[in-house]
Amino acid sequence: MSGERERVLEVEDLQVRFATDTGEVPAVCDISLHVHTSETLALVGESGSGKSTVALAAMGLLPGNARASGRVTVDGTQVVGAGEAELARLRGRTASMVFQEPATALDPLTRVGAQIAEVIRNHRPLGRAEAAREAIELLRRVGIPEPEQRARAFPFQLSGGQRQRVVIAMAIANSPGLLIADEPTTALDVTVQAEILDLLRGLAADSGTGVLLVTHNMGVVADFADRVAVMLNGEIVETGPVEEVLLRPRHEYTRKLLAAVPRLVFQGEDPAPRQDAPVVELRDVRVRFGRGPRAVRALDGVSLDVRPGETVGLVGESGSGKSTAARVALGLIPPDSGTVSLFGTDLARSRGRRRRALLSGVGVVLQDPVASLDARMSVAECVAEPLRMHRRGMSAAERRARVAEVLELVRLPKELMARGPRELSGGQRQRVSLARALVLEPRLLVADEPTSALDVSVQRTVLEVIAELQRELGFGCLFVSHDLAVVQQFAHRVVVMRAGCVEEQGPTMSTLLRPRSEYTRRLIAAVPVPDPVVQRRRRAGVTV
């Protein structure tokens, strides 16, 4: 029984408040929780609920403007109030953390094997050669192919899934009793996500590591967690075994979260195909990166199109070429061969002012709005920037009016216009990014993973806004995503990519319900669902 096992993390009456210019803001309010050895506790809730603050408090990583009280005990060490020397001994040895974005956790200028070896030597008296050998073994343990060669690679030479495995190798290098995983699979495609979860599950079972999993993905919770704690406004509103919380939720907020989860459905019809001329068309496009024998084939004979008023979902695993295809459609990557037509015009033959005029008809929404919005600008300035570049005849008053109009379209109040992007929630920032993309009334919207980093209720809101605006404005949308459930709900047609090629394409419902390709069937089978019974049967190899 879990009650008889050792507690590797114990949180009692934790409070965290942040000092701001307008006074202290409560983030976590008197919460208590625990994690046993060989157990995974999932901490779930919307953005701003306080779940990541709890994870940072457990590692002693709260920012300088945070004030914490209560008890946080990791393997007998009281974290709240501990000195930096004591916390440094704790981190990486007794407790480790895996973050959402491995790029921020890895040094881009240091080979990955050396980074793992450094973590080992920081806590154990090993020589360089022995630590290097252990780093290679750790890479093998976390499923990196050819670990001797990969140890000499730099982070940018690895795929997103491989980088996340490197981060996990660093986290388990010193056999910690507690592993804190903060959204460890959010940016990964479904098959890599399943592999990472299998890896973490095996670590917990084999070494007795307790895991605190911070996530907004209820499918991941169902697949991986033993218990669940649901947070709302800094408080835990429900906790219990995973089957009880996900299948028989008591709290209305938990029921709301579960209702917002996108799910694959296995019945439905496709709308009639559209006959309008495409707003963008790729024909037999080929792209190679690099030269000679080391050249990488990114796209190989890719053909697809998007028509006015329709959404085409572009899906596939990491490295399949879907983001490269989107960048080709945007004119950011010139194809080695094949043609790209934008609004009926060959993009390769367009130069100067004519090319700029064509591209002004394209709006772009990226996965991370923080990277696409200038933190030094206000919301109004961010949204108005395309107008200043492409509508130079507009007066300042006309720009302000247009910005107010488009912010209203994306359901953002005018009061936010003077704020900076970092003063907004994740969902608000993504809607500012959407407003910026729509301010020029584009005929084509390219959305590259626009909701993968958002919690489920905010994700639903953003997708509803895009769909509503598409019905109103009639733009075509190329929607790049690894979430097949979202694509099924949102896209009219789907293009499945694999290793730079189009594996299959067609109307969304028929393609996902009756896939011709074994690869597509594998992608569909890897989609986690928020039902722990179904996920357990899947892991046991039972067809569901």
Side-chain angles (χ1 to χ4, degrees), residues 42 44 213 215 217-228 242 246 532:
V44 303
L213 174 68
T215 185
N217 189 322
M218 291 298 194
V220 168
V221 172
D223 194 28
F224 186 42
D226 299 300
R227 291 187 299 114
V228 184
V242 63
L246 296 193

Side-chain angles (χ1 to χ4, degrees), residues 132-448:
R133 286 194 296 271
E134 191 162 323
I136 291 171
E137 187 54 40
L138 280 163
L139 289 174
R140 182 177 286 110
R141 184 181 175 192
V142 298
I144 295 283
E146 301 177 324
E148 292 85 1
Q149 287 75 28
R150 299 298 184 189
R152 296 194 293 270
F154 292 97
F156 73 88
Q157 296 174 303
L158 305 180
S159 70
Q162 289 173 335
R163 285 195 295 267
Q164 192 64 295
R165 289 172 188 268
V166 171
V167 171
I168 292 171
M170 294 169 69
I172 66 171
N174 296 299
S175 303
L178 173 67
L179 182 66
I180 298 176
D182 192 353
E183 302 282 9
T185 62
T186 293
L188 304 177
D189 60 67
V190 288
T191 51
V192 176
Q193 174 179 274
E195 292 167 1
I196 294 296
L197 291 177
D198 284 342
L199 170 61
L200 292 174
R201 186 182 299 109
L203 292 172
D206 296 342
S207 61
T209 300
V211 180
L212 177 64
L213 174 68
V214 178
T215 185
H216 65 258
N217 189 322
M218 291 298 194
V220 168
V221 172
D223 194 28
F224 186 42
D226 299 300
R227 291 187 299 114
V228 184
V230 183
M231 289 194 69
L232 172 65
N233 296 330
E235 299 179 349
I236 292 178
V237 296
E238 181 165 0
T239 186
V242 63
E243 287 189 22
E244 180 180 311
V245 174
L246 296 193
L247 301 182
R248 295 176 295 278
R250 300 185 308 274
H251 199 279
E252 178 59 33
Y253 176 68
T254 310
R255 291 193 286 270
K256 174 189 149 191
L257 282 181
L258 290 167
V261 175
R263 307 165 193 244
L264 280 170
V265 297
F266 295 95
Q267 59 182 357
E269 298 181 357
D270 290 300
R274 296 175 180 266
Q275 304 300 324
D276 317 65
V279 289
V280 66
E281 185 175 21
L282 278 61
R283 281 288 169 260
D284 200 25
V285 166
R286 287 174 168 79
V287 173
R288 293 173 73 86
F289 295 137
R291 296 180 180 179
R294 294 194 175 186
V296 176
R297 182 185 63 184
L299 297 180
D300 189 8
V302 169
S303 296
L304 60 88
D305 60 65
V306 181
R307 298 174 187 273
E310 79 164 349
T311 296
V312 174
L314 199 53
V315 304
E317 295 174 297
S318 297
S320 63
K322 56 186 187 294
S323 289
T324 300
R327 287 172 170 81
V328 168
L330 289 167
L332 298 176
I333 298 176
D336 296 319
S337 63
T339 60
V340 182
S341 297
L342 194 58
F343 315 127
T345 301
D346 187 343
L347 197 55
R349 297 182 179 181
S350 301
R351 297 285 187 274
R353 186 176 300 175
R354 187 182 182 197
R355 184 181 179 90
R356 287 195 299 272
L358 271 178
L359 293 175
S360 71
V362 183
V364 185
V365 181
L366 302 176
Q367 175 179 341
D368 182 6
V370 173
S372 60
L373 300 175
D374 193 328
R376 298 167 298 180
M377 293 182 176
S378 68
V379 166
E381 290 169 333
C382 288
V383 176
E385 187 177 24
L387 295 174
R388 290 194 298 271
M389 294 174 61
H390 296 283
R391 301 288 189 270
R392 294 179 180 176
M394 291 184 77
S395 67
E398 288 172 327
R399 284 198 300 268
R400 283 194 298 271
R402 176 59 183 158
V403 168
E405 178 185 1
V406 76
L407 286 175
E408 184 177 354
L409 283 176
V410 299
R411 303 182 194 172
L412 285 177
K414 295 179 182 177
E415 293 75 35
L416 297 183
M417 292 176 68
R419 294 188 187 179
R422 297 189 184 277
E423 298 178 79
L424 308 179
S425 69
Q428 287 173 330
R429 282 195 297 264
Q430 195 60 291
R431 278 182 279 168
V432 170
S433 183
L434 177 59
R436 189 177 188 273
L438 296 176
V439 73
L440 293 175
E441 299 181 346
R443 297 165 62 188
L444 171 66
L445 180 71
V446 177
D448 193 352

Side-chain angles (χ1 to χ4, degrees), residues 426-473:
Q428 287 173 330
R429 282 195 297 264
Q430 195 60 291
R431 278 182 279 168
V432 170
S433 183
L434 177 59
R436 189 177 188 273
L438 296 176
V439 73
L440 293 175
E441 299 181 346
R443 297 165 62 188
L444 171 66
L445 180 71
V446 177
D448 193 352
E449 299 281 9
T451 62
S452 67
L454 304 178
D455 58 67
V456 288
S457 55
V458 176
Q459 174 179 272
R460 170 181 274 188
T461 299
V462 170
L463 292 174
E464 285 174 351
V465 168
I466 295 176
E468 182 182 309
L469 291 173
Q470 185 183 51
R471 288 191 294 270
E472 182 178 337
L473 304 176

